[in-house]
Amino acid sequence: MDDISNVSKITEPVQKRILAKIAAAHPEINVSEAGHLHVPVDSLTAVMRDLKENFGFDYLSNVTAVDYLEYMNVVYDLCRVGTPYMLHIIVRIDRENPVVPSMVPLWGGALWQEREIYDLLGVIFTKHPDLRRILLDDTWEDHPLRRDYQWMSGRD
Amino acid sequence: MEVKDEFREETTKRLKNLGVDPAVIGEVTRLVNVGPLEKLLNLARSDSLWPMGFGLACCAIEGLMASNMARFDLARFGYEVMRASPRQADVMLVCGTVTKKIAPIVVRLYEQMPEPKYVIAMGSCAISGGPFVDSYNVVPGVDTLIPVDVYLPGCPPRPDAVIHAFMQLKAKINQAKGGKR
Ligand code: SF4
């Protein structure tokens, strides 16, 4: 991957080459037309460790999740510090049993982001060291960013 | 806002009742005025309110910061002594959105303030929930938690309006009969 170590401008061929290399190394990954990596939840930890240790994507810049009512996506953004290349990794999970492995062992920065996703969307991160609510009160019930969440407006 | 000089009126009335020459009354009230002690205390209180430096959201930038800086200079009125402890504060400016998570802390801070204490609800968030009233975790107005003396509308209110709110509070304190309200 040394061909990208000293670049300051994003170039499409390089990004394509990175994606192709990753897809070759992990046949279970499905690369979408937009360049998103769809990873099955079972191989997530192995793929992420490989991306970090062998592909140089050493920084997890964002974790979030999306509720689509039939299923949920957990989304990770990885980047390689010093270069403009980023990866957009999508993991599809069951909405009724939303469980994914925690990324805290790989990137400590996931600690609060995963707590926030648990708080607002109810995704369970296994092996997370401290999975508590972070924004809402500890006594809060349910997860308000789920699409079917019901609440009372403060209007009279 | 015209504030009546109640002390002078009171002194004049008493001297008249004693049958004193009007010329003498004029001379005396120029130098000496009498009145109830509570009123005197209210006068002192209303001119040196100590606000609690307690910001919740964007309104704190106008209410606690901009209005204290050189251009608006709340210190001209004697209200600049921001206290970091509720034990030392007279007035709580509720500057911003009160969420359900912060609500118990707002109530506790209010209860920790010594009497007499006053509350200014600053901005539409503190008055009624503002733009976030439909949210699942916003309290629809701080007056559902604690008593409010002055409502200051705006999103956010300008620092001039903050000064006006303090003036309203001053008038309210001076019109009070006893120590509080
Ligand atoms: S009233 Fe407006 S400016 Fe003030 S805290 Fe609410 S949203 Fe922010």
Side-chain angles (χ1 to χ4, degrees), chain B residues 57-59 96-97 123-125 131-132 154-156:
Chain B
C58 11
C59 269
T97 326
S124 42
C125 282
F132 313 113
C155 181

Side-chain angles (χ1 to χ4, degrees), chain B residues 7-176:
Chain B
F7 293 92
R8 179 179 282 241
E9 281 173 18
E10 177 75 18
T11 317
T12 314
K13 201 174 89 199
R14 287 183 185 215
L15 288 173
K16 265 191 193 141
N17 287 348
L18 292 172
V20 179
D21 182 356
V24 176
I25 293 180
E27 279 302 304
V28 171
T29 53
R30 221 160 52 80
L31 299 170
V32 186
N33 285 310
V34 297
L37 182 63
E38 286 87 3
K39 293 252 174 204
L40 200 64
L41 289 178
N42 277 347
L43 202 63
R45 210 167 262 148
S46 68
D47 276 315
S48 63
L49 290 167
W50 287 9
M52 182 159 63
F54 171 58
L56 289 171
C58 11
C59 269
I61 295 167
E62 304 292 318
L64 299 173
M65 299 170 214
S67 54
N68 264 294
M69 285 193 280
R71 186 177 289 264
F72 297 98
D73 196 11
L74 204 54
R76 290 176 293 160
F77 308 96
Y79 305 146
E80 83 285 14
V81 195
M82 288 287 158
R83 295 286 91 184
S85 161
R87 303 276 186 214
Q88 302 167 346
D90 301 310
V91 54
M92 179 165 161
L93 263 101
V94 184
C95 294
T97 326
V98 185
T99 59
K100 284 182 186 154
K101 191 166 180 181
I102 202 79
I105 296 160
V106 173
V107 173
R108 173 177 294 195
L109 286 173
Y110 176 78
E111 283 167 354
Q112 284 177 339
M113 286 164 65
E115 292 274 358
K117 52 192 171 189
Y118 308 94
V119 175
I120 299 176
M122 177 177 180
S124 42
C125 282
I127 293 172
S128 67
F132 313 113
V133 65
D134 287 329
S135 167
Y136 52 85
N137 70 338
V138 169
V139 175
V142 73
D143 54 3
T144 58
L145 303 170
I146 55 178
V148 174
D149 293 279
V150 178
Y151 292 87
L152 168 54
C155 181
R158 279 184 58 86
D160 334 38
V162 177
I163 294 171
H164 185 233
F166 272 104
M167 296 289 106
Q168 292 290 335
L169 185 58
K170 175 180 173 172
K172 180 171 178 174
I173 296 171
N174 279 331
Q175 281 157 16

Side-chain angles (χ1 to χ4, degrees), chain A residues 39-51 101-103 106:
Chain A
V39 181
V41 64
D42 301 329
S43 50
L44 180 70
T45 311
V47 168
M48 292 297 235
R49 171 159 293 126
D50 192 35
L51 290 177
S102 170
M103 286 301 127
L106 285 174

